[in-house]
Amino acid sequence: MDEVLPVSVTVLLPTRNEEEALGATVDAIPRGWCESLEIMIVDGSSTDRTREIALEKNVRVHLEPRKGYGRAYRTGFVVASNDIIVTMDADCTYPAELIPELVKRLLDDDLDFICLLYTSDAADDTPCVDLGGRRI
């Protein structure tokens, strides 16, 4: 994306023992496409190096002692500091490269929310993204 979007974005990653993939997930998130980008993990008491890796990557770390994936998101929604919140897993299973395009669509179409169905195509294991029933 050539233009810088006039918006601040938090990418929210719930984590618990994600040291194997967290670094690659963070590295896959594009930079420079919005006025302000915050990457934040909400960590559910990891016992591995998840938090250390996040800090090495300049990722904001918020500790959540209560367990659960949904709890991590709820906490993240409260503590995120930016206009738009993007949620994804920290295991390299989401197409992070699409974040700028999706945020632009959110703004251009004056949407409140975008939900993606992310699967792989059975024929060749190519990732497919479906937005509201339409491929993008």
Side-chain angles (χ1 to χ4, degrees), residues 3 6 13 17 19 25 32 34 44 49 52 57 64 76 93 95-96 101-103 110-111 120-121 123-124 126 134:
E3 68 181 296
L13 306 167
N17 297 330
E19 74 178 355
T25 299
C34 62
R49 294 191 63 246
E52 291 85 355
K57 299 273 184 188
E64 174 52 74
T93 57
E101 177 184 345
L102 294 170
V103 171
D110 194 29
L111 302 173
S120 63
D121 184 86
D124 62 3
T126 302
R134 299 174 301 242

Side-chain angles (χ1 to χ4, degrees), residues 5-12 29-30 33-40 80-87 99-100 103-104 106-107:
L5 299 176
V7 68
S8 62
V9 176
T10 296
V11 177
L12 172 60
I29 298 169
W33 55 272
C34 62
E35 285 181 358
S36 174
L37 177 66
E38 170 187 56
I39 302 171
M40 176 176 63
S81 58
N82 289 327
D83 301 325
I84 293 175
I85 300 172
V86 173
T87 62
I99 293 172
V103 171
K104 184 175 184 337
L106 185 82
L107 297 171

Side-chain angles (χ1 to χ4, degrees), residues 97-116:
E97 70 277 4
L98 294 180
I99 293 172
E101 177 184 345
L102 294 170
V103 171
K104 184 175 184 337
R105 182 156 183 192
L106 185 82
L107 297 171
D108 289 349
D109 293 352
D110 194 29
L111 302 173
D112 294 322
F113 184 84
I114 292 177
C115 182
L116 294 179

